[in-house]
Amino acid sequence: MAKQQKQRHYSDWPFRWDHKRPETIQNDRRWLESIVRNAAPFSDWWTKARIVQLAYPLPPNTRPQTLYELPVYGGITSEAEIALALRGCCDLLDEYPEFARQVDENYVIETLNAWKTKQFSLAIGRNFDLYAHRQFPNVFLAVSTAPVSLNVDRILPPIDQFRPLFNIDELAAILRDRDIQRVTLRTHGYSNPAKSFYANFDREATALNQHDSATHDRTLQPDHCYIGYHWPSEKPIVSPGLWADYRNVGILLKFLFVLSGLAGIVGTLLYVFLRLIGLPLLNWIGKIPAVESYFSATNFWETAALAVRGYWLIPTVFMLWVLAFLMLRIVVYQRDRYRAIHYGAPDLAEFFWRLDRSFRNYASQRKEPISGEVVRPRELVTVNLVGHSMGALVLVNVLRILSDRFGKDDIGSLKPDTELAPGRDPVEKMGRYLLLDKLILASPDIPLEFLREGRNNYVRSAMRRCRRIYLMSSDRDIVLRYLSTVGNWFGEPSMQMAGLRLGNVYLKRLKNADLPFRPYIRIMLHSERAVRPTSSYELFLKFNYLDCSRMGGGKASGGVNVVPLPMNHITALPIDLINTLFYLLGLSKLDVHGGYFQTQTRSFQIFKFLLTANTLKDEEIRAEIDRIKGQQIRFLPSQRWEMPAVSQPVDGGEG
């Protein structure tokens, strides 16, 4: 039975450009072309932009071009012809089945209705693209559609490795048709541009799908899918988006004007201070016989007079400030942090709630019964979240957003290894179909103070939604110990938040204690307890601590450290310098900040095991981690320690 044709909400068919408004023509043309360049080919919003382009003739002063053997602007005079032309661009059944199912004459009419009624932005309003791995059917990509800069196009995943999906309904249908029971989503951290993330994620997916030589099994089973999430991040110094921003000369001049004004004020105050207070004070001190002889021997007075002669202090202060602000900008730390919080987290939260809604739509389309109160375990999809560095900040904010959307009251919480009670929703549930299980944080760029009393207003509700939390950290992570401190110095509410990051927690050996380790945090040369009597330490108790500070060593193994010495007051700086040199000179696969996911490391082996440990009890998980970690990683399981009331002695200053 043929579908009934949709009603048109436009009368000026075929479409023609309004030549009386050339500026409008240029704006519409640039908008449509930007969508086509930055959207996944044959996705929903890419297709809608192409429909509008094909409905219009070639704009004035525009060179004719083709895309997938079709003209960019077609001037086609029939909706059915537009649908037929688009459907002829690709192998629909094998490559784009959802595109083939949805794109017809009615779809074209609905798109053109939205364009003519000024609803096109809503019609294409999706904040992420989805891709399926061509080699591994259980591997997918979710990519935020926010660019690193408005002046630079997005870098899309390589089309020969990842097939674009039409929309999230297609992903939901794939997961349901394959009876997927577990989803692991992995996101990246600071300074991970799209191209490098796609390559690293592909290597991880390959490692997770390789058959184990001993068991002839693979980590990702048919009911478990692995999703990589990329939010807009860029490379320091060489990022095109970083330097493209300097095209706006007006804003640059305004910045320099304000900076020069501040430098003039500070330079003047410094000059006045030296002239009226500094030199008289030095003159008084110089009358002391011993000081006077020293000043005379070193020509101090001539040097001091030169220091306040003229007005050179003002340009000096100005140039130093320009260099300081330029360095802070080109390392892109604050830019990435802003995008992580305001682009990455909301877009990923939207992905999850749309996925939950798509599962419901899938059930209703197949006329499956949708229960109201009773939770049926087979309906649920278990979700693991894995975040590295600034990606951990993304995940915590995602949990906060989802907690607010789906309710953050403690309406009941599942203990690990217990079954769902009929008619009862656990706090770990996100919507109807998604159930949080593990949160794995590797070198998280999160203030330690977030977990302390008075700072955990939203972290508490977010963290409690996860059944298990694993922290992979290192006290030798110089990116968090130094760069993060400088980058957050002006932004965090307290110095402790800027200087103490959760990724620098390590396990220190204690004497006369029930357990051999306690969580401490490295500052620079010294360390302090991560948990204090004022802390809300039930959150700390939920962590399973994996101290990877000593993981690594040789060229083949990689890891986060090449110096086997313990870190203390004497060895701290030499260890940092040696690790930095090894990384910069490429003498090993060392990555002090991101080595946790190198496929040769023990931390990656633990990560692979945790993805398969859904049905295991806590005791079994701990025993297997103890077997894998060897001597390179220290392990402190959750809820197996109590915060000491007073300081306890440590042995030999061991880190």
Side-chain angles (χ1 to χ4, degrees):
M1 182 177 175
K3 290 183 180 180
Q4 184 178 358
Q5 183 174 317
K6 295 281 186 179
Q7 182 180 359
R8 292 178 179 173
H9 294 163
Y10 48 90
S11 58
D12 53 339
W13 181 255
F15 289 172
R16 294 288 182 267
W17 297 108
D18 186 355
H19 293 281
K20 296 180 181 179
R21 299 179 177 179
E23 186 176 350
T24 301
I25 296 176
Q26 293 301 315
N27 289 338
D28 289 347
R29 180 180 66 82
R30 291 194 187 101
W31 184 25
L32 293 170
E33 292 173 2
S34 175
I35 293 172
V36 172
R37 288 196 310 270
N38 289 279
F42 302 101
S43 62
D44 179 57
W45 65 313
W46 182 93
T47 304
K48 288 175 177 174
R50 288 294 290 126
I51 286 172
V52 177
Q53 284 183 324
L54 291 173
Y56 279 101
L58 187 69
N61 303 319
T62 304
R63 296 173 58 184
Q65 293 178 309
T66 59
L67 182 64
Y68 291 100
E69 300 182 356
L70 284 177
V72 173
Y73 296 95
I76 300 176
T77 58
S78 165
E79 293 93 339
E81 290 180 18
I82 293 176
L84 185 63
L86 285 171
R87 292 169 66 87
C89 289
C90 56
D91 188 346
L92 299 176
L93 294 180
D94 294 336
E95 291 287 312
Y96 308 103
E98 191 68 14
F99 177 96
R101 188 180 71 84
Q102 292 202 33
V103 178
D104 55 15
E105 184 178 3
N106 283 335
Y107 182 90
V108 174
I109 293 174
E110 288 180 348
T111 300
L112 297 179
N113 282 339
W115 175 261
K116 282 298 184 178
T117 57
K118 311 298 183 184
Q119 301 295 314
F120 193 69
S121 294
L122 296 177
I124 64 170
R126 298 293 183 271
N127 291 326
F128 53 86
D129 278 335
L130 298 170
Y131 299 81
H133 201 286
R134 293 186 181 275
Q135 181 181 357
F136 306 117
N138 55 354
V139 176
F140 301 90
L141 266 179
V143 183
S144 169
T145 57
V148 296
S149 170
L150 293 177
N151 299 315
V152 177
D153 290 336
R154 296 170 58 219
I155 298 178
L156 303 180
I159 201 72
D160 59 330
Q161 289 179 289
F162 297 95
R163 175 181 69 86
L165 300 182
F166 191 70
N167 54 22
I168 197 166
D169 289 334
E170 182 177 3
L171 176 63
I174 292 173
L175 300 185
R176 283 309 194 198
D177 290 341
R178 296 177 184 169
D179 196 24
I180 296 295
Q181 298 296 310
R182 291 175 288 168
V183 170
T184 295
L185 184 135
R186 149 93 156 98
T187 190
H188 60 89
Y190 155 72
S191 182
N192 268 257
K195 188 175 181 179
S196 62
F197 174 76
Y198 301 148
N200 292 334
F201 178 74
D202 185 65
R203 283 194 290 269
E204 289 179 20
T206 301
L208 294 175
N209 277 284
Q210 283 179 341
H211 290 270
D212 186 271
S213 58
T215 63
H216 301 289
D217 203 356
R218 63 181 187 177
T219 301
L220 292 182
Q221 299 301 309
D223 67 343
H224 188 177
C225 77
Y226 191 55
I227 301 177
Y229 174 65
H230 183 263
W231 49 270
S233 176
E234 60 185 338
K235 201 76 173 174
I237 303 176
V238 297
S239 170
L242 178 65
W243 299 104
D245 290 344
Y246 286 91
R247 296 174 186 171
N248 196 319
V249 179
I251 295 178
L252 180 60
L253 291 176
K254 182 175 73 170
F255 167 75
L256 294 176
F257 173 77
V258 174
L259 195 64
S260 62
L262 293 175
I265 295 172
V266 174
T268 301
L269 293 176
L270 182 58
Y271 177 79
V272 171
F273 172 80
L274 290 176
R275 194 74 173 180
L276 301 182
I277 300 177
L279 283 181
L281 181 62
L282 287 174
N283 188 47
W284 179 77
I285 296 175
K287 293 179 180 180
I288 301 174
V291 177
E292 183 179 13
S293 61
Y294 173 77
F295 281 1
S296 300
T298 58
N299 295 322
F300 177 81
W301 291 116
E302 290 78 1
T303 305
L306 179 64
V308 294
R309 187 179 302 154
Y311 219 54
W312 63 270
L313 287 171
I314 295 177
T316 301
V317 172
F318 172 72
M319 291 306 300
L320 290 175
W321 281 5
V322 168
L323 291 175
F325 280 105
L326 178 63
M327 288 300 299
L328 286 174
R329 184 169 183 82
I330 65 177
V331 297
V332 305
Y333 180 85
Q334 284 296 341
R335 290 162 61 93
D336 266 11
R337 182 176 173 84
Y338 182 94
R339 286 187 291 256
I341 295 174
H342 298 289
Y343 301 158
D347 293 353
L348 183 56
E350 180 185 344
F351 165 79
F352 278 117
W353 72 256
R354 285 190 183 276
L355 181 62
D356 183 73
R357 190 181 67 175
S358 294
F359 283 150
R360 177 178 285 270
N361 294 339
Y362 178 91
S364 63
Q365 289 172 5
R366 283 153 180 76
K367 298 182 180 179
E368 298 176 0
I370 300 177
S371 56
E373 298 295 334
V374 179
V375 176
R376 294 181 295 191
R378 289 295 297 176
E379 292 181 330
L380 296 174
V381 175
T382 302
V383 177
N384 301 320
L385 298 176
V386 184
H388 170 242
S389 183
M390 205 173 283
L393 184 65
V394 171
L395 294 182
V396 169
N397 279 277
V398 167
L399 292 176
R400 177 190 185 185
I401 295 170
L402 294 175
S403 295
D404 290 341
R405 177 174 178 82
F406 296 122
K408 58 184 178 181
D409 295 333
D410 296 339
I411 55 177
S413 178
L414 278 181
K415 294 181 179 179
D417 315 316
T418 59
E419 298 293 332
L420 287 174
R424 182 184 179 189
D425 278 347
V427 72
E428 291 87 354
K429 223 177 163 191
M430 298 189 302
R432 173 174 178 77
Y433 294 99
L434 302 178
L435 182 68
L436 275 173
D437 185 19
K438 300 182 188 71
L439 176 64
I440 302 175
L441 305 177
S443 194
D445 191 3
I446 298 176
L448 179 75
E449 196 168 327
F450 270 14
L451 303 185
R452 290 181 174 171
E453 195 68 39
R455 301 289 187 187
N456 53 23
N457 297 338
Y458 73 85
V459 176
R460 183 197 302 271
S461 62
M463 293 294 192
R464 293 196 73 252
R465 287 186 169 269
C466 305
R467 300 174 73 182
R468 296 182 178 97
I469 303 176
Y470 292 87
L471 172 64
M472 295 181 178
S473 56
S474 167
D475 68 342
R476 308 177 191 215
D477 188 338
I478 58 178
V479 174
L480 294 185
R481 278 171 57 206
Y482 301 123
L483 178 60
S484 180
T485 299
V486 175
N488 292 300
W489 188 258
F490 300 102
E492 300 286 8
S494 70
M495 289 173 58
Q496 287 75 15
M497 294 180 74
L500 301 178
R501 315 306 280 183
L502 188 59
N504 286 138
V505 168
Y506 73 102
L507 297 178
K508 176 173 281 191
R509 190 182 301 277
L510 300 182
K511 291 181 178 179
N512 303 323
D514 296 335
L515 288 175
F517 306 121
R518 299 283 184 199
Y520 274 64
I521 186 165
R522 179 72 59 184
I523 299 175
M524 187 174 174
L525 303 181
H526 68 289
S527 61
E528 64 181 41
R529 284 187 300 174
V531 191
R532 294 181 175 277
T534 57
S535 300
S536 181
Y537 59 87
E538 68 271 13
L539 289 177
F540 286 91
L541 290 173
K542 194 164 185 176
F543 279 85
N544 293 274
Y545 295 89
L546 291 160
D547 178 8
C548 304
S549 300
R550 301 189 184 189
M551 185 184 70
K555 280 191 174 183
S557 61
V560 299
N561 173 60
V562 294
V563 185
L565 298 175
M567 183 171 277
N568 53 43
H569 293 77
I570 299 174
T571 62
L573 285 180
I575 288 174
D576 291 340
L577 290 174
I578 293 172
N579 281 335
T580 302
L581 287 175
F582 266 73
Y583 174 74
L584 294 177
L585 299 177
L587 299 178
S588 71
K589 294 182 179 180
L590 173 76
D591 187 346
V592 294
H593 185 56
Y596 304 90
F597 295 100
Q598 293 175 346
T599 55
Q600 314 92 337
T601 58
R602 292 185 181 271
S603 59
F604 190 78
Q605 295 177 32
I606 293 174
F607 169 63
K608 289 175 62 176
F609 163 69
L610 292 176
L611 299 189
T612 66
N614 286 52
T615 60
L616 299 181
K617 297 183 180 298
D618 282 342
E619 292 75 13
E620 297 172 304
I621 294 175
R622 291 163 183 161
E624 182 64 14
I625 291 177
D626 282 331
R627 186 191 69 81
I628 296 173
K629 69 181 181 63
Q631 299 298 318
Q632 292 186 342
I633 298 176
R634 291 176 172 178
F635 177 46
L636 181 62
S638 66
Q639 298 180 342
R640 288 299 182 90
W641 61 281
E642 294 181 359
M643 184 183 67
V646 295
S647 299
Q648 300 187 29
V650 301
D651 62 352
E654 180 183 355

